[in-house]
Amino acid sequence: MALVAGVDSSTQSCKVVVRAVESGARVREGRADHPPGTEIDPRLWWRALQLAVERAGGLDDVDAVSVAAQQHGMVCLDDAGDVVRPALLWNDTRSAAAAAELVGELSAEAWAQAVGSVPTASFTVAKLRWLATHEPEHARRVAAVCLPHDWLTWQLAGATGLESLTTDRGDASGTGYWSPTEERYRPDLLATALGAAAALPTVIAPAGTSGRTGDGALIAAGTGDNMAAALGVGADDGDLVVSIGTSGVVSAVSTIATADATGTIAGFADATGRRLPLVCTLNGAPVLSAVARMLGVGLDALSDLALSAPPGADGLVLVPYLEGERTPNLPSASGSLHGIRQHNTTPAHVARAAVEGLLCSLNVGVGALLDAGVTATRVLLVGGGARSRAVQAIAPTIFGRPVVVPHAGEHVADGAARQALWALSGGALPALVGPAPVAVYEDDARPAILERYAAASAWVASGVQR
């Protein structure tokens, strides 16, 4: 039986899914945790991948494998291929000032036109500027810069030399020094950030390969987690993918090129040769966990409480900037409750406000993509937060269109497995690996919560900026 494997090396863990080529059925899987924090020694990713592979029954009988991983992470290597310092992850906001410096030096419009995105603290280019400013001794040692998926793919292939580093257009488009329009690196922008030149991974075709594992499995190009998730749920024109994981992400597979000088939309490429305009927030499913903890209940009970309260939570609004925020770009902001009255201070109202606030923060991204010309006939709701019954039931009200909830699963790993199958087949992108969606929720009601949320979030932004 021919098999393919997909790897999801996320912020929190590494997951490996092995699927049968003929049927698409999941054969086995394995998982290993990553340590917490916003920086990590990449070698710990490799150990987690090895452990997850072991728990998934190994790769010795697998025909092809692909690695998808968290975007933006800065992995710096020296001349010998050794890691210079722990990788800064996408959610490390210490590079916020560095991003602002870069935007000030070139202008937001110039960045948007050059690479489709305006740098924020999350982007690799901003982290390189931070490194050059705060750790110049480390910056001087940097011979090559790559991303988490690039580095793990390199390890699988034997890490034979810096010249063998590879990446794909999807993940490269999140660095801040690769142009989705010109399909090439902008080494001048990397040098502007780092203060020197550095080697970069070769960008290979969507169905390309990066070598073979020690067991002989073909290694596919790999990609970023958002690009793999789109593959994993079979997103196509007209679909918005809303992912509620550690972060919140709204994206769309599209042919439309975006160059948003406001920085709201990141003009990424996808893993198929098209575009993946994307809006990312720092606050996703952990918002629900935090409020559940505050109320002293579990996540299921939080859903029950939220669904027992009226739409709009009788005016109570949660602005969920618990970790600062990326969209809008307010890294020093904090979460807040607005509209508190005697009658809406119940656990049910707070739970409802938490779910609605989280979804409203994501709806900012939905609106931005629609304004940019992206079409959206439905929303595909994925990620750990999408398992919440309250999130599923309330989402159509907030997004204003049908919401499809695919089977719970490892969508990023499944997308990577689909990419591995593509590399193995060498033909057209194979049909979706995995089950079809199971539920559609529709609700045309759009309560005043949208207006109240806009007012509350604007108040928070004005306070942070004062």
Side-chain angles (χ1 to χ4, degrees), residues 429-456:
L429 178 64
L432 178 64
V433 175
V438 294
V440 177
Y441 300 83
E442 296 189 51
D443 190 337
D444 292 331
R446 288 176 66 78
I449 184 60
L450 295 175
E451 182 178 345
R452 286 195 292 268
Y453 179 84

Side-chain angles (χ1 to χ4, degrees), residues 175-210:
T175 60
Y177 44 82
W178 188 85
S179 168
T181 301
E182 299 178 7
E183 297 273 341
R184 69 178 182 94
Y185 282 118
R186 289 290 304 269
D188 56 320
L189 298 179
L190 181 143
T192 294
L194 184 61
L200 295 169
T202 300
V203 179
I204 60 177
T209 61
S210 300

Side-chain angles (χ1 to χ4, degrees), residues 93-103 120-121 126 129-130 134 331:
T93 59
R94 76 184 77 177
S95 47
E101 286 177 7
L102 290 170
V103 174
T120 67
R129 169 57 67 87
W130 178 91
H134 295 277

Side-chain angles (χ1 to χ4, degrees), residues 8 12 15 26 29 31 242-245 285 288 299-300 303 307 358 381-393 405-412 414 441:
D8 172 16
Q12 297 174 322
K15 288 147 282 194
R26 186 176 300 185
E29 59 187 283
R31 183 184 187 280
V242 176
S243 175
I244 310 177
L288 303 179
L299 290 174
D300 288 343
S303 277
L307 293 173
L358 174 59
L381 192 63
V382 300
R387 298 172 188 172
S388 162
R389 295 187 304 277
V391 167
Q392 293 176 1
V405 183
H407 281 297
E410 302 297 347
H411 300 300
V412 173
D414 286 342
Y441 300 83

